[in-house]
């Protein structure tokens, strides 16, 4: 496991349990200083004493510069991070945190439809609050298996009838198509949840104008890119040429040659391994960038579409 350079130590100042199998951590600067600004949809990289590096959506108030709030789900097949947070992390302990990044920003719209499932409520909650403060019409559908698994229920209850909370174990699945309704120009739809939930939401807005639907995913969208071709990564700052064979990822090849590049999810969904492209054409295999983006790529899963690519690393 590679330790990432940089970041700052924050202190755990509070621990809440907003739902079964979910803990909310409140983080603050040990000296009481202000934390970097962020907008709804942002997440932070968090490295624990176990050296696990994970990404968590910020789910507090963007106006509160004194602290961050994140929520951590206890994963049944935890590789160590969520188990440590739930069982061993206490108030007063420190974690290393990097500045917020946002690949799921809330764009201006005439009205919003928010869709969340499970712990996917975390990036959506600040969006709801921002829309409410701005006086923009909005509705939220929140799907959980049981009411005990619904995070931040007290905060959501204060928002009134604009919130639809569905426990699928007793009430059946949400009719996402019925909730979203017919196409209305100027509507922004924001969704976060399990792969099946996001897929169902995409189907509910099929035919809507491009740019209406926005999703943050826990796993990448499966796509067939065909066979991988070898290429050479020219590392401009490190003055190293790295051959990336067909069966090897760019990130792994760079690290093998001693070129340090951060990596978090290693699935192409968090953005922590972004590198700047100086020349050549990237083949984006992540779920964040499209083919029109030529100036950066995510090294964990993406490759080069040209025999050689020059990177600012």
């Amino acid at each position: 496991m590679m330790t990432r350079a940089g970041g700052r130590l924050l202190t755990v100042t509070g621990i809440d349990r907003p739902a079964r199998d979910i803990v909310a951590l409140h983080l603050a600067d040990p000296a009481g200083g202000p934390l970097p600004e962020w907008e709804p949809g942002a997440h932070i990289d968090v490295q624990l004493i176990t050296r696990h590096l994970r990404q968590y959506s910020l789910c507090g108030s963007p106006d509160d510069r004194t602290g961050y709030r994140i929520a951590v789900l206890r994963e049944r097949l935890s590789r160590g991070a969520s188990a440590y947070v739930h069982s061993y992390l206490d108030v007063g302990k420190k974690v290393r945190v990097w500045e917020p990044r946002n690949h799921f920003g809330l764009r201006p719209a005439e009205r919003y439809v928010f869709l969340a499932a499970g712990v996917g409520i975390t990036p959506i909650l600040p969006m709801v609050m921002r829309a409410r403060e701005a006086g923009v019409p909005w509705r939220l559908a929140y799907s959980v298996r049981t009411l005990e698994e619904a995070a931040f229920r007290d905060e959501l209850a204060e928002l009134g009838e604009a919130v639809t909370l569905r426990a699928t174990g007793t009430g059946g699945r949400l009719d996402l198509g019925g909730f979203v309704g017919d196409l209305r120009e100027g509507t922004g739809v924001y969704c976060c949840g399990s792969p099946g939930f996001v897929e169902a939401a995409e189907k509910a807005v099929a035919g809507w104008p491009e740019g209406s639907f926005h999703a943050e995913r826990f796993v990448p969208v499966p796509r067939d890119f065909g066979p991988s071709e070898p290429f050479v990564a020219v590392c401009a700052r490190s003055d190293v040429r790295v051959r990336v064979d067909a069966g090897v990822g760019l990130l792994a090849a760079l690290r093998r040659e001693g070129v340090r590049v951060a990596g978090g999810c290693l699935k192409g969904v968090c953005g922590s391994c972004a590198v700047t492209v100086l020349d050549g054409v990237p083949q984006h295999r992540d779920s964040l960038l499209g083919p029109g983006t030529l100036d950066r790529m995510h090294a964990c899963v993406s490759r080069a579409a040209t025999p050689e690519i020059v990177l600012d690393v």
Side-chain angles (χ1 to χ4, degrees), residues 177-215:
F179 184 84
V180 171
D182 296 331
L183 166 63
R184 294 184 65 189
E185 294 288 343
T187 301
V189 181
Y190 288 78
C191 176
C192 185
S194 65
F197 184 82
V198 175
E199 182 180 353
E202 283 185 299
K203 291 180 179 178
V205 297
W208 283 41
E210 185 177 356
S212 300
F213 183 75
H214 312 269

Side-chain angles (χ1 to χ4, degrees), residues 87-282:
S87 301
Y88 301 105
L89 192 60
D90 297 319
V91 171
K93 290 189 175 180
K94 292 181 172 59
V95 295
R96 186 168 293 277
V97 172
W98 282 260
E99 289 196 9
R101 295 197 311 276
N102 201 339
H103 304 291
F104 190 43
L106 185 66
R107 301 177 185 177
E110 295 178 18
R111 67 194 66 82
Y112 294 107
V113 174
F114 298 111
L115 307 171
V119 77
I121 190 65
T122 51
I124 297 295
L125 186 57
M127 294 183 176
V128 169
M129 299 302 187
R130 175 61 57 81
R132 184 170 181 251
E133 292 167 1
V136 179
W138 62 273
R139 291 180 294 129
L140 164 66
Y142 182 26
S143 175
V144 291
R145 284 176 293 183
T146 67
L147 290 179
E148 290 75 19
E149 297 175 67
F152 309 115
R153 284 175 63 187
D154 292 344
E155 295 176 40
L156 293 172
E158 295 177 357
L159 300 177
E161 297 181 354
V163 176
T164 298
L165 175 61
R166 174 65 59 84
T168 59
T170 56
R173 290 187 177 182
L174 267 169
D175 177 9
L176 291 175
F179 184 84
V180 171
D182 296 331
L183 166 63
R184 294 184 65 189
E185 294 288 343
T187 301
V189 181
Y190 288 78
C191 176
C192 185
S194 65
F197 184 82
V198 175
E199 182 180 353
E202 283 185 299
K203 291 180 179 178
V205 297
W208 283 41
E210 185 177 356
S212 300
F213 183 75
H214 312 269
E216 183 166 67
R217 305 172 190 274
F218 300 145
V219 296
V221 179
R223 289 178 289 174
D224 182 12
F225 294 96
S228 296
E229 298 293 336
F231 64 96
V232 173
V234 180
C235 305
R237 279 191 284 123
S238 303
D239 195 22
V240 174
R241 293 175 61 88
V242 178
R243 177 178 171 83
V244 185
D245 292 321
V248 178
L250 172 58
L251 181 63
L254 293 174
R255 288 179 172 179
R256 180 193 66 212
E257 298 300 326
V259 181
R260 294 184 63 89
V261 176
C265 71
L266 305 183
K267 299 176 182 178
V269 294
C270 79
S272 62
C273 64
V275 294
T276 299
V277 176
L278 301 177
D279 195 16
V281 179

